[in-house]
Amino acid sequence: MNNRIYIDSYAYVGKRGPKDVEAQYETEALLEEMEWTGIHGAVIAHSEAKEYDPMYGNRMLLRELKKSPRLYGVWAVMPHMTGEIPPPRDLIKEMQDNGITVAKMYPRAHRFPFHVDYCGELLGALEESEMLLMVEGGNLYGNDVLEPTNQVLVNEMDAVLTRFPRLNVLLQGARWDATRFLYWLMAKHPNLVLELSTHQGNRAMEVFVKWFGAERVLFGTGALEKSPGAAKAFLDYCTLDEEAKQKIASENIVRLAKLDRLPAAYRSRGPRDPILARAKEGKPLTNTLVIDSHAHISHDDGGGSGFVHSLYSDDKSMRERAKLMGIDAMCISGFLAVWTDYEEGNRIVWNAMKRFPGFYHGYAALQPQYVKDWPRELRKVHVQYRMDGLKPYHPRTLLPYNDKLWDPWYEYGNRMNAYALIHPSPNLVAEMNDLAPRYPNISWILAHTGASFRDARNGIEVALKNPNVYLEITLTSVTYRVIEFMVKHVGAGRVLFGTDQPMRDPIPQFGWVVYSHCTPEEKKKMLGLNMRKIMNRVKRKHR
Ligand SMILES: [Zn+2]
């Protein structure tokens, strides 16, 4: 076990709305999970300071902080002119009196201009008193469909960082599709630092450290919405050296937030679960079959795919990354194949399968709008290319999955006992309840079922009705406790590990499973045994 001290720079406690009945929120739950994962301290904000009233929530936070010396507090702040919060000097004095050294601004949620004119007096006072400022970033270009009230925009950030060059700003919750904006902001402003719990871009830890140094990347989890184990694994399994890992784990936040004490180490004997024990050491799983049931691939030495930055996305790089965790095999579809050009994209997958036989297994992608000769195409992907998987894709065809245009493919897949990976569509439940009984020999894998408890409930409903339906987990949301929820309702035999790599880094998705509160036997089924069964059912003779 390593001796690193971990301090989470991005966590919330307190009630928030609308919350799923299953989602956790209590400080006690956070503290328990911190001990489970081996996170020693956390810098926490109160949801009511964000969602109700800053000062009301800030005072509630003070009560929560008393529950453990492992907790450090963040106060929500805003400009004082409208009479809702003390003027900057009084506010900062009150923060300091309460041991608070971190401020956070929510310009979207609190509906004020994040502009140097309006916020200048407050930002100047924060800079002068050397407070760390936190803001939440989303994709930085607006229209963030996932969190419309959260994000600051790239131009606002640039203006604030330019005007206050000694104000340290921690950008939280920035997404992987913001990478090119983040590069510009970070290259221009040395006072900007970043946490990666929502970014999770492929090799993001290594990429941002290479670009800007380990001093500018912080460990953050997004708890209790996100699985803290996902973020911890991301740091533990990445290939940075020990010095860099220590900076990211806690040294940077201790320096920037001027934390006056370090949290104590845990005195536990180490977990009994051998999978969790390996994870805590950041070591690859051995004697455990691990198959990534949902992955992609892009072209050799590719830089981007589907609009976004995506380095290290070719077969060689992905295999190298997979080895860190002990992933034995990957079921891949071509990014290009689902995105715009199935013929070119399938060829990329076929090349990877030939170069790494037994490691890469192909999902064929076909777009009915472009298919001219079904028998010819089906022979090519399923016989010549030996792809056992089907990847119809709604977002880039806009066809419902039960549209009759797909039928020739499903009929063929049904004859060969294939498996099909289904990305969500607007009417997924109805479409799957129609398809699964009509094509009973296909193993239907519902992708991204762990996206939220709501998505999990939809998946559970379909899986309970149809024995040939499986629930694959992956999404950046790494919803805390949702894997346990799915296992409780459909059993571990119906839940599959998947990563969506190389769009997302595979490590956080792996961490989400291995740090879950499921038994080692359940984890083994999800990590590989289930997918092996699905793959072994496919008939070789049909060809
Ligand atoms: Zn995908």
Side-chain angles (χ1 to χ4, degrees):
M1 201 97 61
N2 68 65
N3 294 318
R4 264 169 249 141
I5 292 288
Y6 296 82
I7 301 179
D8 180 0
S9 68
Y10 187 30
Y12 277 104
V13 297
K15 292 188 178 127
R16 60 187 188 270
K19 182 193 89 70
D20 191 279
V21 65
E22 298 290 332
Q24 307 280 312
Y25 66 97
E26 287 162 311
T27 303
E28 290 77 3
L30 178 68
L31 289 165
E32 258 175 54
E33 186 64 18
M34 284 163 60
E35 181 157 10
W36 174 261
T37 47
I39 296 169
H40 306 89
V43 183
I44 58 173
H46 201 289
S47 295
E48 293 187 34
K50 173 182 177 182
E51 296 192 11
Y52 179 64
D53 174 75
M55 288 310 283
Y56 194 90
N58 289 341
R59 298 208 167 96
M60 290 187 73
L61 178 79
L62 295 178
R63 297 211 304 259
E64 300 306 310
L65 292 176
K66 293 208 175 82
K67 291 178 177 171
S68 169
R70 297 189 181 279
L71 302 174
Y72 310 84
V74 180
W75 267 24
V77 301
M78 62 158 81
H80 70 287
M81 291 78 86
T82 49
E84 300 151 281
I85 200 162
R89 288 190 203 277
D90 300 341
L91 176 65
I92 287 169
K93 169 89 173 46
E94 195 175 337
M95 290 169 78
Q96 286 164 340
D97 290 347
N98 285 293
I100 305 292
T101 56
V102 184
K104 187 157 176 173
M105 288 169 86
Y106 302 96
R108 289 291 171 288
H110 293 163
R111 278 110 169 132
F112 65 82
F114 192 51
H115 193 281
V116 288
D117 289 349
Y118 190 68
C119 303
E121 189 182 341
L122 174 60
L123 291 167
L126 292 171
E127 181 184 51
E128 196 179 302
S129 52
E130 300 186 345
M131 290 265 173
L132 173 65
L133 176 67
M134 295 177 169
V135 289
E136 292 178 347
N139 57 26
L140 294 168
Y141 51 80
N143 307 319
D144 189 332
V145 288
L146 296 176
E147 301 197 65
T149 60
N150 260 359
Q151 57 175 357
V152 292
L153 303 178
V154 66
N155 293 334
E156 296 172 331
M157 284 293 288
D158 178 45
V160 164
L161 293 161
T162 301
R163 174 68 185 76
F164 301 98
R166 287 177 300 111
L167 175 68
N168 287 312
V169 179
L170 168 58
L171 184 62
Q172 303 171 317
R175 291 160 42 82
W176 39 264
D177 54 348
T179 299
R180 292 165 190 150
F181 292 107
L182 292 170
Y183 184 91
W184 177 59
L185 285 175
M186 291 188 76
K188 187 170 172 188
H189 303 288
N191 50 331
L192 179 63
V193 297
L194 187 67
E195 68 81 36
L196 295 169
S197 62
T198 309
H199 189 289
Q200 294 176 35
N202 195 29
R203 303 199 190 189
M205 283 281 170
E206 291 92 331
V207 166
F208 280 96
V209 166
K210 186 174 152 208
W211 284 344
F212 306 112
E215 293 74 21
R216 299 189 52 200
V217 178
L218 273 66
F219 170 61
T221 69
L224 283 162
E225 291 274 7
K226 287 187 165 62
S227 149
K232 180 154 183 290
F234 199 11
L235 179 57
D236 290 344
Y237 278 91
C238 81
T239 58
L240 294 172
D241 63 26
E242 183 54 34
E243 197 186 330
K245 286 186 179 178
Q246 283 180 15
K247 284 179 183 163
I248 294 168
S250 60
E251 286 174 16
N252 293 337
I253 187 71
V254 168
R255 181 186 80 247
L256 292 164
K258 303 194 175 337
L259 303 182
D260 56 0
R261 59 181 197 281
L262 277 183
Y266 291 110
R267 274 184 296 168
S268 55
R269 255 177 292 146
R272 245 174 292 165
D273 172 351
I275 292 176
L276 183 60
R278 287 294 280 184
K280 285 188 147 184
E281 290 172 24
K283 297 257 169 68
L285 298 185
T286 48
N287 309 318
T288 303
L289 177 72
V290 184
I291 303 175
D292 184 349
S293 68
H294 179 174
H296 301 280
I297 193 163
S298 41
H299 53 289
D300 284 354
D301 305 316
S305 47
F307 310 136
V308 301
H309 176 269
S310 177
L311 290 175
Y312 310 110
S313 295
D314 58 305
D315 50 13
K316 231 176 89 227
S317 311
M318 275 172 49
R319 186 154 183 278
E320 199 181 285
R321 194 73 170 166
K323 275 192 196 154
L324 299 174
M325 291 154 279
I327 293 178
D328 302 290
M330 267 190 223
C331 303
I332 57 171
S333 58
F335 265 134
L336 183 57
V338 295
W339 206 250
T340 47
D341 186 337
Y342 74 82
E343 288 183 284
E344 284 291 313
N346 286 336
R347 197 157 31 234
I348 292 169
V349 172
W350 170 230
N351 280 337
M353 292 167 70
K354 280 187 292 188
R355 283 182 202 160
F356 299 94
F359 184 77
Y360 287 117
H361 301 263
Y363 282 106
L366 297 171
Q367 291 159 333
Q369 294 101 321
Y370 286 111
V371 175
K372 289 176 189 139
D373 181 346
W374 277 102
R376 199 183 72 102
E377 293 293 350
L378 291 169
R379 257 196 324 275
K380 182 166 171 190
V381 294
H382 293 304
V383 180
Q384 188 197 340
Y385 290 177
R386 306 189 148 268
M387 293 172 173
D388 291 342
L390 281 59
K391 172 88 179 176
Y393 191 59
H394 172 267
R396 297 291 290 183
T397 58
L398 300 184
L399 296 172
Y401 289 111
N402 57 351
D403 193 295
K404 61 182 184 336
L405 283 174
W406 300 108
D407 279 348
W409 198 10
Y410 296 155
E411 278 157 21
Y412 192 97
N414 198 57
R415 284 199 298 277
M416 63 184 267
N417 290 359
Y419 45 92
L421 182 62
I422 304 294
H423 183 97
S425 67
N427 298 307
L428 186 73
V429 172
E431 289 166 23
M432 287 318 303
N433 281 335
D434 174 21
L435 282 178
R438 270 206 284 144
Y439 300 103
N441 299 336
I442 294 180
S443 304
W444 297 92
I445 301 172
L446 306 190
H448 307 301
T449 318
S452 66
F453 284 103
R454 213 179 115 232
D455 289 283
R457 278 195 192 87
N458 283 341
I460 289 165
E461 187 190 326
V462 179
L464 289 178
K465 223 176 259 179
N466 303 286
N468 54 334
V469 166
Y470 297 82
L471 309 182
E472 182 275 330
I473 57 167
T474 184
L475 205 68
T476 320
S477 56
V478 291
T479 312
Y480 178 50
R481 292 271 181 174
V482 80
I483 294 174
E484 293 88 330
F485 178 71
M486 290 193 279
V487 167
K488 182 176 144 197
H489 288 280
V490 301
R494 305 281 291 282
V495 180
L496 300 174
F497 163 64
T499 68
D500 230 354
Q501 66 176 309
M503 182 179 68
R504 261 186 292 289
D505 193 286
I507 296 174
Q509 307 294 309
F510 174 80
W512 188 17
V513 178
V514 293
Y515 277 97
S516 74
H517 296 256
C518 299
T519 65
E521 289 68 34
E522 289 169 336
K523 288 177 190 175
K524 282 183 183 165
K525 286 182 185 173
M526 293 187 277
L527 285 169
L529 297 178
N530 297 339
M531 194 60 202
R532 182 168 68 183
K533 241 188 241 174
I534 289 169
M535 294 161 83
N536 284 346
R537 278 188 70 242
V538 181
K539 284 189 207 159
R540 311 285 145 182
K541 282 273 162 59
H542 77 277
R543 290 170 173 138

